[in-house]
Amino acid sequence: MKESFKVCFCCVRSFKVKTSEPPQEIKKLFDDYSGDGRMSADEMLRFVIEVQGEKHADTNYVKDIFHRLKHHGVFHPRGIHLEGFYRYLLSDFNSPLHLSGEVWQDMSQPLSHYFLYTGHNSYLTGNQLNSRSSTEPIVKALRSGVRVIELDLWPNSSGTEAEVRHGGTLTSTEDLQKCLNAVKENAFVVSEYPVVLTLEDHLPPDLQKKVAKMVSKTFGETLFRCTTDEHTECFPSPEALKNKILISTKPPKEYLQTQVSLGSTTDESVKAKKVKEAEELIQDEDEETVAIEYRDLISIHAGNRKGGMKNCLNGDPNRVIRLSMSEQWLETLAKTRGPDLVKFTQRNILRIFPKTTRIDSSNYDPLVGWIHGAQMVAFNMQSHGRFLWMMQGMFKANGGCGYVKSLMFCSPMVLEVKLLTLPVKIFRSRQFSSFVSMNIKLDKDLQRRRMEYGFSQDHFDRYSPPDFYARVGIAGIPLDTTSHKTETDTDEWFPVWDKEFEFPLRVPELALLCIIVKDYDSNTQNDFAGQICLPLSEIRPGIRAVRLHDRAGEVYKHARLLVRFVLEPR
């Protein structure tokens, strides 16, 4: 079969099209585990146990596979043919991650023992300077599993109401009530574990009072309140907080201290006087309804970075807090006070946010924060790129619930096993896509085919099939981080790379397997074709169908790789 491309009015380039047939290794496996050209239920069971590592599989598991294949017309009562076997391998049922979405980690530990899927400026649709504010990114984030939503609160132009906007910029405003409603309606669509609403408020006491009433009325019984001192020395657990919304912000006193510290004066006595005057202003207005009502909303207290880098990590032995710092502060402290960072996050929550110069809403390396125990590594979810793919990959773990156990709080038994050096072998990468009609002869058919893949019609070279290659690597601690590149399979919609990689690992709990597929171009920048990041600790061994995603993390309909994973302790 040939595929033709018009180069100009009179020239046509033709390419032989490779059919989407099983690779030789798959044919050999089928022959080894079948008889007379059919694989019976018993033979399939032996395959999934011995090759796929499904040690707990039984006849019902195999029956489920066969039942799924019936709808594709490749099933026979006496077993499946090679085509059916190949279709099973490329199906979503054969995912590298467990399909059940089961939350398997212990969720009864304090919140500080977990990484939380965290957003930054969750209301922005684009850059940090002049983009639109909306409830849409809030809804999308929550429905993607994000568990920490951030809202910036400012007085409106008349000073009578609070509104959501990125202060000091040209971004538009959004109604606070709409944002709260978006949180309420979408908080527990994909996960029943708690949502933390961080309020970066810049409000006077009278508007804090209004916000307190608005939040209480909107969230009602789902709002978690600390009515006693029970959780002052340690945070409650995600299990105890199921279907609850927590408010995290600075209490009125800390808020005032922060506002004063941002002032121009450097005289400490003047600052202290201003704080005292501001506190008296709250008390004179109505202490019983303003300061106390707002304070009682807060279940995760945000502290101040008192004393700068020197003393900010000292902590309070009698109270747990959330401390926020920029990625720049984190990088400096990681070099100079790494052990103190780790010690602080044993009890307290550390939130990292992007530096202010990231006006394009780009992101930073999340592993720096995770390695030092930072629970809330806040990301711009409206962006895309390698670091966001890593964030999305990490939180595919633990059933995608938005909470992943921090490395420091994994059980000793798990650590004892997994600290051994582990190689990951990518045995085969096959078939960039599957089950796409091969009836392609004309340019218009080529365009249709590209659309079936999920790409625009001019995504790749308009005058030839793509030249795909893959880069496979590990993102983790510095000693584990590495990558390898396959050869380029020229002019092929269905590349066959036949490449094996091995990755020795020191800390697999923090390792992410990252695969990026691109179309090679000799004269221009290589075209992006797909990507996937997977938490290595949850990858199932065997030959698996790895679905590729676009730049924003949305899954492609057809594009996938056939990859073999072999996980062996050394």
Side-chain angles (χ1 to χ4, degrees), residues 312-354:
C312 67
L313 298 176
N314 290 344
D316 185 343
N318 299 315
R319 188 182 72 162
V320 290
I321 62 168
R322 169 179 69 83
L323 182 67
S324 292
M325 65 176 62
S326 70
E327 58 175 292
Q328 295 164 305
W329 267 50
L330 173 68
E331 290 172 359
T332 300
L333 289 172
K335 295 175 183 177
T336 59
R337 298 184 61 189
D340 292 331
L341 276 170
V342 174
K343 182 180 178 181
F344 179 83
T345 56
Q346 300 285 304
R347 294 178 60 246
N348 302 285
I349 290 177
L350 181 60
R351 175 180 172 270
I352 312 301
F353 57 87

Side-chain angles (χ1 to χ4, degrees), residues 262-298:
L262 294 175
S264 58
T265 179
T266 58
D267 191 324
E268 292 299 324
S269 62
V270 174
K271 286 185 178 181
K273 183 178 179 181
K274 287 185 176 181
V275 170
K276 185 176 180 181
E277 290 174 351
E279 290 175 350
E280 289 175 353
L281 176 63
I282 288 181
Q283 294 171 359
D284 290 343
E285 180 143 353
D286 189 347
E287 180 179 358
E288 293 299 321
T289 59
V290 180
I292 294 178
E293 184 177 3
Y294 188 75
R295 183 189 63 200
D296 287 348
L297 284 178
I298 305 169

Side-chain angles (χ1 to χ4, degrees), residues 100-208:
S100 63
E102 179 182 356
V103 177
W104 61 270
Q105 295 180 352
D106 177 15
M107 304 298 285
S108 63
Q109 302 300 309
L111 281 179
S112 56
H113 291 200
Y114 303 86
F115 298 138
L116 284 70
Y117 201 176
T118 303
H120 172 255
N121 288 353
S122 304
Y123 51 90
L124 288 181
T125 57
N127 65 54
Q128 305 288 310
L129 183 61
N130 60 1
S131 66
R132 182 173 60 92
S133 298
S134 172
T135 60
E136 295 168 10
I138 298 174
V139 173
K140 183 178 180 181
L142 290 169
R143 288 178 174 265
S144 299
V146 173
R147 296 290 87 189
V148 183
I149 297 295
E150 181 188 30
L151 301 179
D152 286 307
L153 306 184
W154 293 82
N156 63 8
S157 57
S158 62
T160 58
E161 299 292 340
E163 63 184 12
V164 176
R165 60 182 168 89
H166 191 24
T169 68
L170 299 176
T171 57
S172 65
T173 65
E174 183 55 280
D175 181 68
L176 174 58
Q177 185 61 64
K178 289 182 179 179
C179 293
L180 296 179
N181 289 341
V183 173
K184 177 185 176 182
E185 294 166 6
N186 298 276
F188 308 110
V189 172
V190 299
S191 173
E192 60 185 347
Y193 288 96
V195 167
V196 179
L197 185 59
T198 60
L199 302 178
E200 297 298 321
D201 72 88
H202 308 268
L203 305 174
D206 61 324
L207 290 186
Q208 287 181 342

Side-chain angles (χ1 to χ4, degrees), residues 380-409:
N380 295 307
M381 299 298 172
Q382 73 275 28
S383 183
H384 55 71
R386 183 167 62 94
F387 294 139
L388 183 60
W389 303 339
M390 290 164 57
M391 175 70 71
Q392 293 166 341
M394 171 63 81
F395 288 98
K396 285 182 172 71
N398 201 24
C401 73
Y403 286 79
V404 174
K405 200 77 173 288
S406 170
L407 171 65
M408 294 175 289
F409 296 103

Side-chain angles (χ1 to χ4, degrees), residues 5-8 13 15 446 450 460-465:
F5 297 82
K6 287 184 178 180
V7 178
C8 59
R13 300 180 68 193
F15 299 86
L446 173 67
R450 284 171 170 165
F460 301 122
D461 193 342
R462 298 178 66 90
Y463 305 113
S464 68

Side-chain angles (χ1 to χ4, degrees), residues 386 389 469-473 497 514-518 528-533 548 561:
R386 183 167 62 94
W389 303 339
Y469 71 89
R471 184 170 292 280
V472 184
W497 291 306
C514 302
I515 304 175
I516 300 176
V517 179
K518 290 188 176 182
F528 173 85
Q531 60 81 23
I532 184 65
C533 283
L548 294 179
L561 304 175

Side-chain angles (χ1 to χ4, degrees), residues 391-428:
M391 175 70 71
Q392 293 166 341
M394 171 63 81
F395 288 98
K396 285 182 172 71
N398 201 24
C401 73
Y403 286 79
V404 174
K405 200 77 173 288
S406 170
L407 171 65
M408 294 175 289
F409 296 103
C410 291
S411 65
M413 181 180 68
V414 172
L415 282 179
E416 183 180 351
V417 174
K418 289 192 175 180
L419 280 178
L420 297 174
T421 301
L422 296 175
V424 180
K425 296 180 180 179
I426 311 299
F427 181 66
R428 283 288 186 269

Side-chain angles (χ1 to χ4, degrees), residues 365 367 386 390 473-477 480-482 505 507 510-514 533-534:
D365 188 351
L367 282 160
R386 183 167 62 94
M390 290 164 57
I474 295 291
I477 65 169
D480 288 346
T481 300
T482 185
L505 300 171
V507 186
L510 279 179
L512 297 165
L513 177 70
C514 302
C533 283
L534 298 169

